[in-house]
Structures are given as structure tokens and as C-alpha cells.
Amino acid sequence: MIVSNFVVNVGWGLCWPYLNFRLYDIGAVYFQLSLMDSLAAITYLASRLWGALSDYYGRRKPFMLVGFAGSVVPVAFMALYNRSVWALLALYLVASFSWGIAFPSLVAALTSDPERERATTIFALVGSLGWALGASLMGPAEGALGPPGLFALCSLMLAFFPLMLAFYKEEGLPKKEEALRSYIRGSLSFRFRAKKGFGLLLAGVFLSWFGLQWSGPPMRMKIYDVLGRSKTQVGVLMGVSSVMSAVALALGRKAIEKLGGLRTLLASVASYAVIIPVFGLVWSPLVLVVLWLTPIWPFFNLGYMLSPAELSSEETRAEAVGCCEVVKNVGVLLGLFGGLVADAIGREEALLLSALPLGLALLPIAASYRSSRATEEP
């Protein structure tokens, strides 16, 4: 699974940044750039259901195989429709729907390891290195293959993941004795099969992803413009950023194990609440590059992955992960208003306003941590 994660992240590291800049080059406005991830977020709203089904049957592998295999085809079709903003957005939507089927089961499998902090950190570290390689190849790949060839190459890399997973042996969990209809009905309710403080975590997840999606497209296009719209330079910058993220994860592994998911998530959101508004204020290429290279994302992502594991049992973990995916993607979906604001009042002003949801996210995450600690204490 580790090798597969490296290869698939090379593919996404090449595809996802290039797709952003390709859309910008062919005339997409900030609303459309925000819509790219926000439309994809709609497909992830079913993540709790997919996670609950995985828990019910006690199987992870079938959901991962179907989801990851299904994401390959729409990326291949991007090669044919690479000049249409709306076609590219629609194809990314289909790829995201497939990925959403697999993701809760993938995280549940990872975090069910007895040493989940170590296993998840290694998985994320390898993914960062793969993503770095893919992003660094963006400029040269476009020059050598053109947009059609680049997207075709990405689809081949993404196909490696389900091919390797076909040989992955899993130890299934016992199937739930409850009737499927009753179990699924429970997965669609507002009652969570998780520990105290989980609802507060969901509020923090929503606000933090809302703030990140609000600011994401304006940040990416600002650095792209400042570097002269050079995909080679931006790709290398993203690659270096990903390598630095991997190094930061390796150096910070012990600290993550000590802090746990909730406190890691809290610290990374606090860092974003400061750095993103500053990104909107400055114009120095050197300062912007330094801010871009600050390795916050890997700790945020790791904290996000680990937090539901701290507030759930192994038997209901995929559903807990799915719940987080649902509220995360509601936040991402509503984050498209950041694109509207950037189009209406300016890119930099939109970046400044992102401090509000990010700052507010700190309150429920901190409260969730205090609630979980109170539950653990005798």
C-alpha cells in the first residue's frame, strides 16, 4: 500500500496542480477555480454512507478498489477535453465521486494499525514525496507531451493504485448483526456512533476547511502570477514544498505521537489563521515563496486524519471518518464564496477575510480536545 500511495501521489501531484493552472490559462475566473473543488465536495457528502457500509460488512478492500479504479477513467478523458473549462470541471467531479467511495475505508484501514500515528505518518510522508515528484514534473511534462499527453500519463499512474490493491490481503472484521437498512438509517442521522466531543470536532473541521477552500485558489493564482505564470517554476516550488513537508513529518513524528491528532489539528489551524492573511498583504516574491514553503499542510492533514480515530472505536471508525469527510466537504463546497468575493472585491481582500473562519475553527477543536480529555480521566 505504501508503494501504491507513492505512485498515485505522483499522478495527483502532476494532475491536480496542472488542472488548476490549465483552467486559469484557458480563461477560468476565481469562481470557477473555487467551483472545481467545491463541485467535487458534493460527491464526498456521501462519505459517511460509504464508510458505514464498509463498517457494516467489515471490509475495506472492495470499497478502495471500486473507488480508486473509478477515478482513473475521467482523468483519461481530460486528455480529450483539455480546452473546455466546464468539461474539465465535470470530469474532475466524476473522479472525486469515485475517490470519495474509497477514502473512508482507506483511512479506517490505516488508523486501525496498533501504531496508527506511526503508520499514518509514514503513509503521509511517502505521499508527500510522490506528490513532490509529480508537481516538479508539471512544466517539463506539458512541454514534452502537451496537455493531452500529460492527462493521459496521470491516468496511467492513478491506475497503479487499484492494480496493487488487488493483491492486498485484508483481515475482515465481523459483519454487523443489525439489519442493513436499520444500520444505514443510523448512519444518516445526527446521532454519531463516536465518543463525546465528536460533534465539536465536526464543527471545527467544517470551519477550517471552509477557510482553506476560501483562500486556496486565490493563493495558488497569486504565486502563479508572481512567478510569471511559469508552470516549471511553480511546479518546482510545489515539489520543494512537498519534500519539505515530508522532512517536517519525519522530524516531527515523535511530537505528533505525543500530541495526538486533535492537538496537531489545533496547532496547524492556528498557524494557517496567521499565515494566509499575511500572504494576502505582501507582494515580495521571496516572502511569498517562504510563506508557501512553510510546512503546515502535512500536520493539518495528519491531524485531520487522526482526530476521528481518537474519538471512535475500530468497529465504527470508517463511519466517523466519513462524517468528517461530509462536514469537510460542506465547508469546501461553501468555500466557493471565496472565489465570488475574490472576483467581486479583489484577490488580496479575499485572503484577508479567510482569517475569520480559520480563527473561529480553533474554538470547537479546542473544546473537543477538552471534552475527550475529560472523558478519559477517571
Side-chain angles (χ1 to χ4, degrees), residues 28 32 85 97 111 115 139 153 173 182 204 223 230 286 304 318 340 342:
Q32 290 172 313
V85 170
F97 175 79
T111 55
E115 298 181 354
L153 177 62
L173 297 168
S182 174
I223 199 75
S230 168
L286 177 60
Y304 168 71
L340 288 171

Side-chain angles (χ1 to χ4, degrees), residues 199-212 262 265-273 300 354-370:
L200 291 166
L201 170 64
L202 294 180
V205 166
F206 165 74
L207 288 167
S208 58
W209 280 99
F210 175 58
L212 289 178
L262 284 166
L265 181 64
L266 185 65
S268 58
V269 173
S271 300
Y272 272 133
F300 172 82
S354 69
L356 183 59
L358 290 169
L360 288 174
L362 299 174
L363 301 177
I365 296 173
S368 176
Y369 174 72
R370 287 196 297 269

Side-chain angles (χ1 to χ4, degrees), residues 45-60:
L45 296 181
S47 289
R48 185 180 179 185
L49 173 61
W50 297 121
L53 285 170
S54 175
D55 287 335
Y56 181 82
Y57 289 107
R59 300 292 304 277
R60 312 302 187 198

Side-chain angles (χ1 to χ4, degrees), residues 109-181:
L110 281 173
T111 55
S112 293
D113 190 289
E115 298 181 354
R116 61 171 174 254
E117 288 86 0
R118 179 176 179 272
T120 311
T121 301
I122 292 173
F123 191 81
L125 189 152
V126 170
S128 292
L129 292 175
W131 206 93
L133 179 59
S136 299
L137 294 173
M138 178 172 56
E142 183 190 46
L145 304 173
L150 186 148
F151 285 123
L153 177 62
C154 292
S155 67
L156 290 175
M157 291 180 177
L158 297 182
F160 186 78
F161 208 178
L163 287 174
M164 291 296 292
L165 279 173
F167 299 98
Y168 166 67
K169 295 181 179 180
E170 70 166 341
E171 296 182 7
L173 297 168
K175 181 182 175 182
K176 301 292 186 293
E177 295 182 1
E178 183 179 352
L180 176 60
R181 179 178 296 180

Side-chain angles (χ1 to χ4, degrees), residues 9 15 30 56 79 196 204 223 234 252 256 303 319 327 339 347:
N9 272 281
C15 180
Y30 282 106
Y56 181 82
K196 187 177 180 181
I223 199 75
V234 176
I256 293 168
E319 182 180 344
V327 297
R347 178 173 60 191

Side-chain angles (χ1 to χ4, degrees), residues 54-71:
S54 175
D55 287 335
Y56 181 82
Y57 289 107
R59 300 292 304 277
R60 312 302 187 198
K61 181 177 175 179
F63 294 89
M64 289 192 285
L65 274 175
V66 171
F68 291 135
S71 67

